[in-house]
Amino acid sequence: EVQLLESGGGLIQPGKSLRLSCAASGFPFSSYAMSWVRQAPGKGLEWVSAVSATGDNTYYADSVKGQFTISRDNPKNMLYLQMNSLRGEDTAVYYCATVSFTGDYFHYWGHGTLVTVSS
Amino acid sequence: EIVLTQSPGTLSLSPGERATLSCRASQSVTSTHFVWYQQKPGQAPRLLIYGASSRATGIPDRFSGSGSGTDFTLTISRLEPEDFAVYYCQHYGSSFWTFGQGTKVEIK
């Protein structure tokens, strides 16, 4: 069974940094591209970032480019999102998700971790 | 940048009725890269349809997707109580993934 378990969320002050983690199991992690998708309270889904299966290629939404860094540790089956200079508009539930082999869609999703940026 | 616009924002229907959800792209897109998700309150999104018309594993056949170019449709033939949720369309292109703003299907 595919499992994605996000952690690292919480209440953080504006301007601070936070690192989210996603522990993956039940599938060949190193064979799949992975992604982060976020959802602000009461709002829709927003793609944030993706990383190739090997970790060699990374992709970012314009809204987080230069602010967030995605990475992965394949031997540990872990995905990360380093978030710097956090702002109120970064408040959201952050989901990690597997990317299909064709790259078209997000097949499996974690339950999400809530990041609240507030003083 | 492609913008996806979903309509209506809210659809009020009764169980057993047919639901038709629309998603319009700001420019013509490849249908193989067009996707629909369902999200229930407090839950992660669930993949429903990929490639515009292919049902994901375990998705009942009352869900169907269609469309091409700029206009795509998700149809739920007969609403079951568990189908009342928010539905999002999504497109992939050039290493960017874009979501529509969602359509809420609520019980009338």
Side-chain angles (χ1 to χ4, degrees):
Chain A
E1 179 190 2
V2 172
Q3 288 197 348
L4 298 169
L5 184 61
E6 302 93 338
S7 61
L11 176 63
I12 188 83
Q13 291 180 327
K16 300 291 189 181
S17 298
L18 199 63
R19 188 176 84 155
L20 304 183
S21 301
C22 174
S25 62
F27 66 102
F29 180 73
S30 62
S31 297
Y32 282 80
M34 297 293 296
S35 188
W36 291 95
V37 177
R38 69 184 179 183
Q39 186 170 35
K43 303 297 184 182
L45 301 170
E46 180 189 16
W47 171 71
V48 172
S49 182
V51 60
S52 63
T54 62
D56 290 343
N57 297 297
T58 57
Y59 311 93
Y60 298 95
D62 290 343
S63 58
V64 304
K65 195 173 295 182
Q67 181 191 4
F68 290 3
T69 302
I70 191 171
S71 62
R72 63 191 297 161
D73 185 334
N74 282 348
K76 293 183 178 179
N77 286 3
M78 293 293 296
L79 175 71
Y80 303 104
L81 185 68
Q82 177 67 42
M83 305 186 295
N84 298 331
S85 303
L86 284 163
R87 306 179 285 245
E89 53 263 42
D90 298 316
T91 294
V93 173
Y94 286 75
Y95 296 100
C96 73
T98 63
V99 180
S100 66
F101 281 131
T102 52
D104 300 323
Y105 55 86
F106 308 113
H107 203 165
Y108 299 104
W109 298 65
H111 290 290
T113 186
L114 175 62
V115 174
T116 303
V117 182
S118 176
S119 54
Chain B
E1 178 188 343
I2 291 173
V3 176
L4 300 179
T5 302
Q6 293 186 240
S7 61
T10 302
L11 198 52
S12 299
L13 294 168
S14 300
E17 290 193 293
R18 181 184 187 91
T20 303
L21 288 66
S22 174
C23 182
R24 176 163 289 178
S26 57
Q27 59 186 276
S28 184
V29 300
T30 307
S31 59
T32 54
H33 296 166
F34 199 87
V35 185
W36 290 93
Y37 302 89
Q38 176 194 68
Q39 187 179 33
K40 296 180 181 179
Q43 296 185 18
R46 177 174 73 146
L47 177 68
L48 286 179
I49 301 286
Y50 63 94
S53 60
S54 297
R55 275 186 300 277
T57 303
I59 301 303
D61 60 7
R62 64 180 180 272
F63 291 92
S64 63
S66 63
S68 63
T70 60
D71 293 306
F72 296 84
T73 300
L74 174 69
T75 301
I76 311 171
S77 59
R78 287 176 58 241
L79 283 164
E80 297 288 340
E82 61 267 29
D83 299 337
F84 292 92
V86 180
Y87 294 84
Y88 294 94
C89 59
Q90 176 243 299
H91 175 260
Y92 166 76
S94 302
S95 301
F96 281 86
W97 292 261
T98 304
F99 290 93
Q101 82 279 19
T103 290
K104 181 180 182 180
V105 178
E106 65 176 21
I107 299 177
K108 187 173 181 180

